Amino acid sequence: NGIPFFIGEDVLKNKKLKPEQTQSWEFGTEIRLWNGRVNTDITYYNKNTKNQIVEADAISASGYRREILNAGEIHNEGIEVSLTVNPVKTKLFNWNTTFNWAKNRSKVVSLVEGISRYEMASADNIKLYAEVGKPYGVFYGNDYRRNSDGAIYVGTDGKPKFLPDQYLGSIQPDWFGGWQNSFRVGPVDLGFMIDFQSGGKVWSYTAFRGGID
C-alpha cells in the first residue's frame, strides 16, 4: 500500500573465513573382458577436508538467523564398485546394464576451537549437528525414557515420558548403490534406473505432525 519497508540480511558474514582445503588420494583397478562386454571398476579413496565452509544456525543474540563458518576437519574414506555388462548385442537389439555400489565412512575430526558440535539445521524438537568423533550430520532430539527392560515410562496423564537432547543417529547411509539399464530397439532408445541405500536416518515432518510411526 505504498508503505516503505526494509528487510535486512539474515546470514552473518565471516571476515575470518578461510579457503577450504582438501587433500585426497585414491587407487583403483579396471578390468575389461570379452571385447568390452564386461567392465569392472573398483576404487578406494581417502580424503581429508580442512576449513570446510558451511552455513549453520547463528546464536540468537547476534541478530542473524544463519552464519557462515569453517567447520574444522572432516575425514572421508570409502570404496566404489561398478560393473557394466552388455548381455545382448545384435543389429536390432542392444542391452546395457550397470550396477554401482559404494560405501563411505565420514568422521568429524575437529571443529572450531572450543566447540565439540554445532547446529546445522533444526525443526520442531529435532536438530542436525556436526559433532566431533561422529559421522558428518547427526540427529539429536527427544527420545522415549525407558527402564532397564526397554519399556517406556508413562506419566499419570497417560503420555510417554521423554528425555531431551538424545542422540538419534546419523544421516549417513551404511552403503548405497544403483542399477541402470539402457535398451535400443531399432531406432528407439529406452532405459530406467533404480537407486537404493541401506541405513541413514531420515526425519519425516509428515510423520511427526501426523503421529505416524
Side-chain angles (χ1 to χ4, degrees), residues 66 68 91:
R66 307 280 286 175
I68 299 174
K91 292 182 178 180

Side-chain angles (χ1 to χ4, degrees), residues 9-24:
E9 174 65 64
D10 63 351
V11 178
L12 178 62
K13 304 301 187 293
N14 187 349
K15 295 181 180 180
K16 298 181 180 180
L17 200 65
K18 300 177 182 178
E20 184 175 304
Q21 297 178 342
T22 298
Q23 295 179 339
S24 64

Side-chain angles (χ1 to χ4, degrees), residues 99-124:
F99 176 81
N100 297 293
W101 181 90
K103 181 178 179 67
N104 178 73
R105 288 185 176 181
S106 72
K107 182 180 180 181
V108 179
V109 180
S110 64
L111 294 172
V112 181
E113 185 177 354
I115 296 177
S116 61
R117 70 176 185 179
Y118 72 82
E119 183 180 323
M120 297 189 293
S122 64
D124 290 289

